[in-house]
Amino acid sequence: MSVPLLQVVRVGAYVLKQHLMGVKRYPLVLMLEPLFRCNLACAGCGKIDYPDAILNQRLSVDECLEAVDECGAPVVSIAGGEPLLHREIDQVTRGILARKKFVYLCTNALLLEKKMDLFEPHPYFTWSVHLDGDQEDHDKSVCQDGVYERAVEAIRKAKARGFRVNINCTLFDGAVPERYARFFDDVMALGVDAMTVSPGYAYERAPDQAHFLNRRKTKQLFRDIFKLQRKDKKRWQFSQSSLFLDFLAGNQSFHCTPWGNPTRNYFGWQRPCYLLGEGYAKSFKELMATTDWDKYGTGNYEKCADCMVHSGYEATAVTHAVTHPLAALRVSLRGIKTEGEMAPEIPLDNQRPAEFVFSRHVQDAMDRLAHPKPGTAAAE
């Protein structure tokens, strides 16, 4: 694991405080999406398939900072879309850093060199660059040639400027363990500080629905990759808890905690999580109080059956590490287990069937944009 010590201490203290206060549900990472617009059209993305009228919308600086204050999570992941397309993204970032929140600014890096001068290295700030594998795999994933090379060059320049840089990598069905092991070696040699890895999730709106992993394949894939780490190469560093990585390899029976990574975007506070949009609350308080959390998660809902994504399970792992430190220590000492029996899987017998409700909020938003209320920004 390669998370800054300051972040480990502050997040650990935050989790422990919630535990001692008896708080059952609390946020760890705010997933802030100031826009959906992107300069790529990845086949596995479910965030860009909206009408232009919605893709043209942006959260204002004030709306972003209000979300940060309202939520109170110690970490903010600025996602999208491509956040660097937001004309005021530097102001958003500075405002969050001024609140002493850890910021991970996610980007495909196509605009990183152009926008880098708007930012300064900061102990609470990390560029999170999207790389879904080596040059062939990544360019195929983003459906455009040359993106990998541009991202790698931008990473080199960001590191030369003193920035902390992570990569975020999504693995899909058909991933070859040997290639990803080499890729992890390569990005470590490139000088990145850490990696975030996650299995792909079948967004309802994603054009490509055929290449997402089920849970058994996910566990075996990560076992096969982890066992290939070479002792003569630089050790792989992950910006995730060791317990979450152990979960990916099938050694932990965690349940999803979707409230740990709440999402705020143009539509509002998204229910129940970053990946599923089945309704929106007007405030974070409303989201937490009125969402029927027991309706979601693997074993509870058909859409969640195969999910093992970090936005649902990393918060579970972090909370478990703080409340069960010996369990986390055992994994850290022995490493990720890649052989033997896997932990019991969550039964799916009683899961409720999927409901396809994602388009309702889109139509509502289109109606509001077409017929804005007097006095609103859309009406001016």
Side-chain angles (χ1 to χ4, degrees):
M1 181 180 70
S2 181
V3 177
L5 179 59
L6 180 61
Q7 182 177 332
V8 172
V9 171
R10 289 203 58 195
V11 172
Y14 169 84
V15 172
L16 185 58
K17 178 181 178 181
Q18 306 304 313
H19 180 66
L20 294 175
M21 292 174 60
V23 180
K24 182 179 179 181
R25 299 187 179 103
Y26 52 88
L28 271 181
V29 180
L30 167 61
M31 310 295 286
L32 180 64
E33 295 180 301
L35 79 172
F36 294 127
R37 175 74 70 182
C38 191
N39 47 3
L40 288 174
C42 308
C45 180
K47 297 290 182 176
I48 58 172
D49 186 24
Y50 290 109
D52 280 342
I54 291 176
L55 292 177
N56 289 337
Q57 302 305 307
R58 308 285 188 268
L59 293 183
S60 69
V61 175
D62 286 344
E63 286 174 319
C64 290
L65 298 181
E66 285 170 6
V68 173
D69 293 339
E70 186 182 0
C71 175
V75 181
V76 180
S77 177
I78 305 177
E82 170 51 56
L84 291 181
L85 288 172
H86 194 295
R87 293 180 180 177
E88 299 171 309
I89 194 61
D90 56 323
Q91 297 179 43
V92 172
T93 302
R94 283 195 296 271
I96 301 173
L97 292 173
R99 287 158 167 77
K100 294 187 177 181
K101 307 290 186 181
F102 295 93
V103 176
Y104 288 78
L105 205 168
C106 304
T107 177
N108 57 38
L110 293 181
L111 292 172
L112 182 50
E113 291 186 53
K114 179 181 178 180
K115 300 282 189 174
M116 201 178 300
D117 288 340
L118 297 175
F119 301 83
E120 294 180 357
H122 190 287
Y124 285 67
F125 179 75
T126 301
W127 292 108
S128 181
V129 177
H130 173 211
L131 280 182
D132 282 347
D134 60 22
Q135 180 172 354
E136 180 180 345
D137 282 336
H138 182 65
D139 286 356
K140 180 180 179 181
S141 173
V142 301
C143 306
Q144 184 172 314
D145 293 337
V147 176
Y148 179 88
E149 290 184 350
R150 292 177 65 180
V152 166
E153 183 60 26
I155 289 171
R156 289 195 179 101
K157 292 186 176 180
K159 289 301 299 177
R161 294 275 295 274
F163 287 100
R164 180 177 175 83
V165 182
N166 287 2
I167 67 155
N168 62 77
C169 177
T170 303
L171 281 70
F172 295 93
D173 194 18
V176 179
E178 292 77 11
R179 290 184 62 169
Y180 275 88
R182 290 194 298 270
F183 168 65
F184 290 169
D185 287 338
D186 289 344
V187 294
M188 286 290 100
L190 181 62
V192 302
D193 295 278
M195 303 179 289
T196 299
V197 293
S198 192
Y201 175 81
Y203 288 99
E204 289 174 312
R205 302 184 71 87
D208 178 6
Q209 291 287 316
H211 294 94
F212 293 99
L213 290 155
N214 62 39
R215 286 172 73 94
R216 180 69 192 193
K217 283 186 176 181
T218 293
K219 295 171 183 179
Q220 192 59 57
L221 172 61
F222 279 98
R223 281 194 171 195
D224 291 344
I225 293 173
F226 290 149
K227 72 176 59 174
L228 292 173
Q229 182 167 190
R230 292 172 55 180
K231 294 182 179 180
D232 63 332
K233 296 287 186 179
K234 185 176 180 180
R235 183 175 177 82
W236 300 341
Q237 300 292 334
F238 295 94
S239 59
Q240 295 163 296
S241 69
S242 56
L243 280 175
F244 175 72
L245 299 176
D246 206 43
F247 163 73
L248 288 182
N251 303 317
Q252 303 288 337
S253 295
F254 288 151
H255 287 266
C256 175
T257 51
W259 54 86
N261 287 50
T263 297
R264 170 67 163 98
N265 57 35
Y266 169 69
F267 298 118
W269 291 90
Q270 183 166 306
R271 306 184 206 271
C273 67
Y274 180 70
L275 300 168
L276 292 182
E278 298 205 339
Y280 291 83
K282 294 181 180 179
S283 69
F284 176 71
K285 183 177 180 180
E286 179 187 330
L287 172 77
M288 296 297 286
T290 64
T291 303
D292 188 351
W293 299 108
D294 293 333
K295 292 174 61 177
Y296 300 100
T298 302
N300 296 331
Y301 191 31
E302 185 180 0
K303 288 183 183 178
C304 305
D306 289 327
C307 183
M308 294 180 68
V309 178
H310 65 286
S311 60
Y313 289 92
E314 177 70 36
T316 311
V318 170
T319 301
H320 194 79
V322 173
T323 56
H324 298 82
L326 291 181
L329 180 61
R330 282 194 295 269
V331 174
S332 296
L333 292 176
R334 70 166 165 80
I336 308 300
K337 189 178 75 170
T338 58
E339 302 288 347
E341 291 294 320
M342 294 184 182
E345 186 53 271
I346 298 172
L348 303 179
D349 306 30
N350 296 318
Q351 67 181 8
R352 65 187 178 92
E355 297 179 31
F356 298 96
V357 297
F358 61 83
S359 60
R360 189 178 306 149
H361 62 274
V362 177
Q363 187 57 54
D364 289 345
M366 292 295 291
D367 290 343
R368 290 195 300 270
L369 290 169
H371 306 287
K373 294 182 179 178
T376 64
E380 297 175 356

